[in-house]
Amino acid sequence: MTILIDKDQVIAGPTLVPAAHDLARDAGAELTIGLVNNMPDAALKATERQFMKLLQAAAGSRRIRFHCFSLPSVKRSPEAKWHVESEYSNLSDLERGKFDGLIVTGAEPIAPELDGETYWRDLTNLIDWAKANTRSTIWSCLAAHAAVLHLDNIERRRLPAKCHGIFDCGVVTDDLLTRSAPAPLKVSHSRLNEIAESDLVHAGYQVLTRSQEAGVDVFVRQYASRFVFFQGHPEYDALSLQREYLRDIGRYLARERETYPRLPVSYFDAATEEKLARFEKKAAHQRHPALSNELPALNLRADIGAGDAAAVLFRNWLRYLGADADACASQSGLGSALGLPGR
């Protein structure tokens, strides 16, 4: 799937209306962005939409060519496999093309260790390729954990309980990626493991944002490509955590998991949390899939700020990519005038 995104394309997304001087600054050479979408089947299409909306909102007047890929070794249902095969580009097209930026998502873990996943070799080959063939690559959540394991043998650590909710993250290092970021950045996290900040710093990574409750949020490392790592999910829309929470309740009622899921942190309003606490007690005594029909109406807190962090991070990321692209375009034009080869 290849989509041309420009300012005239109507895509609903986070509210981000560029000022006139922003539009002038963002106008320039076209950018080519790839999304390697390895998310579970239930989140596959939602992830496409979320990143497309973010890029459209952040692009200003700059045109973006957006290509979707998925690792062929990620296990899929027949329906999801058909969607990938019919709508996504072949991964071999990625290696033959010229990509300014790449976004790589994680997949639902199956094996006890990351290097035991069926897609491990494909993912590590992609990591090595991206180091030399993109201006910058974003590694999201599990993909971030996989990348630092492959690059520097940094092992993730199992958390005592799932990190799940919206957390206040503060900027700890001045960087172009977090320029004009609100304080705090409200970021969705949803993971069972973490990378310790001490391990990252010891290996030479630079931590940009962190949360007192959730730990490291965004960190970076410079190769030929600038690698950006998200432990969280700034791309999540307002209902993403709700969908995951209801999925986990369903798995508990179906006895596909042993423990009842904890409430997402700072997500539902107080009245909804009380209703859900009563439902949890009932579920412990009447554990049956049909009980999901009795779930209460769910209302979110008014201050969750979904999309605010992503709007800033992705706008600044595109500006970083664009500055280099504009320089290359200018150099190519000068080279053509002099009879020299372009990029």
Side-chain angles (χ1 to χ4, degrees):
M1 176 168 64
T2 303
I3 298 173
L4 181 63
I5 299 174
D6 61 33
K7 65 183 179 63
D8 297 320
Q9 186 174 357
V10 180
I11 303 176
T15 302
L16 180 64
V17 181
H21 63 279
D22 286 335
L23 289 175
R25 180 166 59 236
D26 290 341
E30 182 178 277
L31 296 176
T32 301
I33 308 292
L35 169 66
V36 184
N37 185 4
N38 305 309
M39 290 292 278
D41 295 352
L44 186 68
K45 294 181 181 180
T47 301
E48 293 168 24
R49 292 193 298 269
Q50 287 164 0
F51 280 111
M52 192 188 306
K53 290 174 183 177
L54 281 173
L55 292 171
Q56 190 272 338
S61 60
R62 186 183 294 276
R63 288 157 62 92
I64 294 175
R65 291 195 178 273
F66 181 66
H67 304 250
C68 285
F69 307 87
S70 185
L71 295 180
S73 47
V74 172
K75 293 184 177 179
R76 298 285 184 197
S77 67
E79 180 182 358
K81 187 176 181 181
W82 177 87
H83 176 71
V84 168
E85 290 177 349
S86 60
E87 298 292 334
Y88 282 24
S89 299
N90 191 287
L91 198 63
S92 62
D93 295 337
L94 178 64
E95 297 181 358
R96 289 196 297 265
K98 293 289 187 181
F99 282 80
D100 301 295
L102 192 66
I103 303 165
V104 184
T105 76
E108 189 168 17
I110 298 174
E113 302 295 336
L114 279 174
D115 57 8
E117 298 287 359
T118 58
Y119 53 79
W120 179 250
R121 179 172 292 184
D122 284 345
L123 183 55
T124 55
N125 287 342
L126 179 63
I127 294 166
D128 293 337
W129 177 87
K131 283 174 68 175
N133 292 281
T134 65
R135 295 190 178 108
S136 180
T137 295
I138 290 173
W139 305 93
S140 176
C141 202
L142 183 140
H145 292 176
V148 299
L149 175 62
H150 175 61
L151 293 166
D152 292 287
N153 202 32
I154 298 175
E155 298 274 357
R156 61 184 187 166
R157 303 177 185 182
R158 186 76 172 188
L159 293 167
K162 185 176 183 179
C163 178
H164 193 220
I166 294 185
F167 297 90
D168 289 347
C169 299
V171 175
V172 296
T173 303
D174 184 32
D175 187 86
L176 56 88
L177 195 66
T178 55
R179 190 170 298 157
S180 302
L185 283 163
K186 292 183 176 293
V187 182
S188 298
H189 281 250
S190 180
R191 50 189 166 82
L192 296 167
N193 301 274
E194 71 170 355
I195 300 295
E197 182 171 353
S198 58
D199 291 343
L200 293 170
V201 172
H202 179 73
Y205 293 81
Q206 187 176 38
V207 175
L208 301 188
T209 64
R210 77 162 74 91
S211 160
Q212 289 187 351
E213 297 83 10
V216 174
D217 180 45
V218 180
F219 55 103
V220 297
R221 185 157 190 173
Q222 186 69 49
Y223 298 97
S225 173
R226 190 174 208 231
F227 275 13
V228 179
F229 305 86
F230 294 159
Q231 272 215 110
H233 288 279
E235 82 280 2
Y236 271 12
D237 61 37
L239 296 180
S240 293
L241 292 174
Q242 177 176 299
R243 290 191 291 266
E244 288 191 8
Y245 180 64
L246 294 177
R247 177 203 65 193
D248 288 345
I249 290 176
R251 289 177 174 176
Y252 172 80
L253 295 176
R255 302 184 184 274
E256 295 173 2
R257 58 174 287 161
E258 290 304 314
T259 58
Y260 195 88
R262 292 188 176 187
L263 282 168
V265 173
S266 301
Y267 187 62
F268 295 116
D269 67 18
T272 298
E273 288 190 346
E274 290 178 6
K275 294 175 186 176
L276 287 169
R278 291 195 293 270
F279 181 86
E280 179 180 354
K281 291 179 180 178
K282 189 172 185 179
H285 297 287
Q286 301 179 31
R287 193 173 176 183
H288 190 277
L291 191 63
S292 61
N293 295 325
E294 299 182 28
L295 275 161
L298 305 179
N299 294 308
L300 308 184
R301 287 175 50 155
D303 62 344
I304 62 172
D308 292 351
V312 171
L313 293 171
F314 278 84
R315 181 186 63 208
N316 289 338
W317 186 60
L318 290 183
R319 285 179 178 167
Y320 172 81
L321 295 178
D324 196 9
D326 294 342
C328 287
S330 176
Q331 185 176 22
S332 177
L334 177 61
S336 297
L338 298 174
L340 299 175
R343 179 183 171 206

